[in-house]
Structures are given as C-alpha cells and as structure tokens.
Amino acid sequence: MDNFDRRILVTGGAGFIGSHVVRRLLKNYPNYLIVNADKLTYAGNLANLTDVQKLKNYRFEKIDIVNLQAVKEVFQKYHITDVIHLAAESHVDRSIEGPMEFVMTNVVGSVNLLQTAKDNWKSGDHVFHHVSTDEVYGSLGHTGLFTEKTSYDPRSPYSASKASSDHFVMAFYHTYNLPVKMSNCSNNYGSHHFPEKLIPLMIHNIQHKKPLPIYGKGDNIRDWLWVEDHASAIETIFHHGRIGESYNVGGLNEWTNIELVNYLCQLMDEKLGRNNGESASLITYVTDRAGHDKRYAIDASKLENELGWKPSITFEEGLSKTVDWFLSNQEWVDKVTSGSYKEYYEIMYGGR
Ligand code: NAD
Ligand code: TYD
C-alpha cells in the first residue's frame, strides 16, 4: 500500500458519477490507490464497477459517511492522502418527500469528512475535492449563465443541502487552511444512470412503452453534460485546479425538457425500428414539481481558460451512446431496480 503515490478516498464511488470517476482514475493512474467508500443506498451499486473491481489499486469499503467513527477508521486504515467527495442524496423529488436524509448525508456527512481530513493532514501535499452542483445557484430567467461569482440561492431541499456543504468546504479552507477544491456541474447523463432521473427514466419508459411523465408544461431548461466529460473535468480540477477555488462545469447545451424528450423519442424510434412518432405518443403531462427551478445554464469559461478543459463529444453523440448502452444492458437495469444488487454485494464482498 505504501508504494502508491496517492491514496485517494472517493466517496459515493458506487453511484452514477462516482463510478465513472473511480473507473477513470483506476485506469489512468495505476500508481494511485483508489478507496471507494459507499453506503450502497438504493442509488449505489457495485454492478457499476464490475470491470475494475479486481484491479490491484482498487479497494471498497461499505461505510455511511454520517458515521464519524467509520470515516476516521477508513482514513487511518489506508493513510488517505486525498478525498474526492461525491457521496450524496441526489434526487430533488426525493428531497421534497423527505429532506432529513439530505441534511444527514449531504451536510453532516460532508462535515465529518472535512473534520477528519483536517485532523489527519497536518502537513504535506493533500487535496479535498468537493463535487457539487449548479443547483446551488438557484433558478435563471430566460437569459444569463451561472458563473463562480453568482450568489447562492438554493430553492429545493436537495440544493439547500448541497449549498450548505459547499459553504462548509469553503469555511474549512478559510478557517483551517484545509486544501480544498470545488466543482459545480450541470445535469449529467450517460451509462449507469439510475432510472429515476429524467433521461434514464425516459429511455426505460420508451423502451417498455410506458407513459413519459413531463412535469408542468415541459418548458423548464437544463444544461446537459456527458458523465464521462464530468469525470474528466474532475480529474483535471483535482490535479491542476487552484486550492480554495471553485470551477463551474458544463457543456453550453441547453434543452427544454419537452424538446429533449421529443428528440429522445425520435432517436429511439429509429433505433428500435418503430414508426416515427410512435414513442412521442407516450408523452403525458403531469402535475409540476413543487418549487420547480425554471432554468439552469453554466458558464464554464474559467475551467476552459485556466485548465484547458472542454467537453469531448456533442450531446447528440453522447445521447446516442447512452441509449445504446441502456438497450444492451437490460440486465443492469433489472438488477438496480429490483434490489438484487444487495445479494450481489454479499456474494462479492460478504467475507471481507
Ligand atoms: P447518485 O445518487 O447516483 O450516487 C450517490 C452515491 O452516494 C451512491 O453510490 C450512494 O450509495 C452513496 N451514498 C449516499 N449516501 C451515502 C452515505 N451516507 N454514505 C456513503 N455513501 C452514500 O449521485 P450522482 O448523480 O452520481 O451524484 C454524485 C455527486 O455529484 C453528488 O454529490 C451530486 O450532488 C453531484 N452532482 C450530480 C449531478 C447529476 O446530474 N447527477 C450534477 C452535478 C453534481
Ligand atoms: P432530474 O433528472 O430530476 O434533474 P434535476 O431536477 O436535478 O435537474 O430532472 C430534470 C428535469 O426533468 C427537471 O426539470 C424535472 C424534469 N422531470 C420531468 O419532467 N419528468 C420526470 O419524470 C423527471 C424525473 C424529471
């Protein structure tokens, strides 16, 4: 273990974005030890990492970051040098149903990690990279973009809990000189996305000819980024971003929900050999989400100008790859939605 250049704790590495970050780091940096710490909630799934789980530089620890003692033990066991913190409750609709889980994981869990990093890192070269969202900035009108200087104005329990964790991250930097970096990204899509968020839910429902629920009028706007481009941005910021700074991540790729779902219907009609318009007939307008943010849009020019990062593919390419992945990984969808991945965990890790 001691021969590794860095020993990075990735929290939430069994989730959607976290699994892409873990995979990318394991493959690009065989000299880094990657310790994936995850509670395996409904959203966390070791089936997201089957292709890398046997790599020599990978470890998995099933922990709840709300449990301070468990966080401390993982830090000590692996002599953790860096943290990339993704573990969170992440679905806005669930936060409306029950905010307290969001306070516990997103706020208390984050402070547990910050406190433990501060207590362990007295000197040396360390990074605590906190992965956050553009939703902390609130909701835009028809024009304008979120920059790193936009005031925080969270409006859902989810975004309020993320905003709170962001403030704690910056408080630990200013108060204790903890070497933090932060990124605030727009909506992600791609493989291994739990089918409760808009794009994977629609792909699933189109495939199975189920209704496609559009909240309100479908005119809310989101700025979509391919998850592998988010993972590459995190890799870049983690290595080259300035300490104490936040970086916005996005693809200048705004779609209203209804435009997006119509495009997806057309794409899947082609891929599934259906008549044009067949899938769009499944679109069903439903009651709007409470407090539904109108528009998110990111200005990522700081990241591009300072660190040279840009998205690698267009939305059309990314969406096509994503649909192909879902259509050829039905087994994964069944596993994550049935709960049988918990049995899978026992089989894979039961004795460790
Ligand atoms: P996700 O819900 O798919 O995964 C979250 C992971 O965290 C899961 O593996 C879950 O088991 C784990 N987790 C939850 N509570 C935990 C706890 N108490 N202890 C340990 N592990 C716990 O989320 P995601 O979409 O991959 O998002 C990852 C991060 O990126 C989050 O911090 C989110 O706020 C942020 N983010 C997401 C998006 C997006 O579009 N999905 C965009 C910007 C930022
Ligand atoms: P979501 O994927 O939950 O991400 P977020 O709310 O964090 O941006 O939702 C994306 C958009 O799609 C959002 O405006 C809500 C809308 N939406 C629907 O219209 N129908 C749905 O079934 C879902 C899940 C979301």
Side-chain angles (χ1 to χ4, degrees), residues 15-17 38-39 41 44 64-65 86 90 105 132 158 162 188:
F16 167 46
I17 302 169
D38 198 298
K39 182 182 172 184
T41 66
D64 183 345
I65 59 168
L86 297 110
S90 68
T105 289
S132 193
Y158 163 65
K162 291 296 291 188
N188 284 213

Side-chain angles (χ1 to χ4, degrees), residues 140-326:
L140 288 165
H142 289 297
T143 56
L145 300 172
F146 296 134
T147 75
E148 291 80 2
K149 293 195 167 26
T150 304
S151 299
Y152 276 30
D153 183 22
R155 297 152 53 98
S156 74
Y158 163 65
S159 55
S161 67
K162 291 296 291 188
S164 173
S165 66
D166 291 10
H167 289 318
F168 273 105
V169 168
M170 287 307 173
F172 270 68
Y173 168 64
H174 290 291
T175 311
Y176 309 111
N177 290 321
L178 190 74
V180 306
K181 300 181 183 183
M182 194 158 81
S183 48
N184 293 80
C185 189
S186 61
N187 288 60
N188 284 213
Y189 69 95
S191 71
H192 304 91
H193 204 178
F194 193 81
E196 68 177 354
K197 305 273 174 74
L198 180 71
I199 290 183
L201 178 75
M202 294 297 155
I203 293 173
H204 182 264
N205 287 10
I206 292 170
Q207 188 185 359
H208 298 285
K209 299 190 178 179
K210 291 184 174 172
L212 309 178
I214 304 289
Y215 299 166
K217 294 189 188 131
D219 56 356
N220 302 68
I221 294 174
R222 297 292 183 263
D223 178 357
W224 295 93
L225 183 71
W226 190 42
V227 64
E228 296 192 31
D229 281 330
H230 187 192
S232 89
I234 291 171
E235 178 187 357
T236 302
I237 295 163
F238 174 77
H239 286 104
H240 307 294
R242 284 182 288 144
I243 296 288
E245 292 284 320
S246 69
Y247 294 85
N248 281 356
V249 188
L252 278 182
N253 176 46
E254 295 181 47
W255 292 69
T256 64
N257 294 335
I258 190 65
E259 274 169 355
L260 193 162
V261 172
N262 269 312
Y263 179 77
L264 200 51
C265 286
Q266 217 182 326
L267 181 68
M268 289 190 64
D269 280 346
E270 284 166 26
K271 288 187 188 282
L272 295 168
R274 291 184 187 164
N275 294 328
N276 190 13
E278 199 176 325
S279 299
S281 68
L282 299 166
I283 289 174
T284 311
Y285 289 91
V286 299
T287 309
D288 207 355
R289 170 187 281 171
H292 197 171
D293 287 342
K294 194 71 180 177
R295 174 171 168 255
Y296 303 144
I298 277 277
D299 176 352
S301 57
K302 176 177 173 184
L303 178 57
E304 185 176 341
N305 296 337
E306 264 189 37
L307 306 182
W309 175 90
K310 268 187 191 179
S312 68
I313 60 173
T314 65
F315 186 55
E316 288 76 5
E317 287 166 333
L319 206 56
S320 177
K321 277 174 188 278
T322 303
V323 170
D324 290 345
W325 187 86
F326 274 93

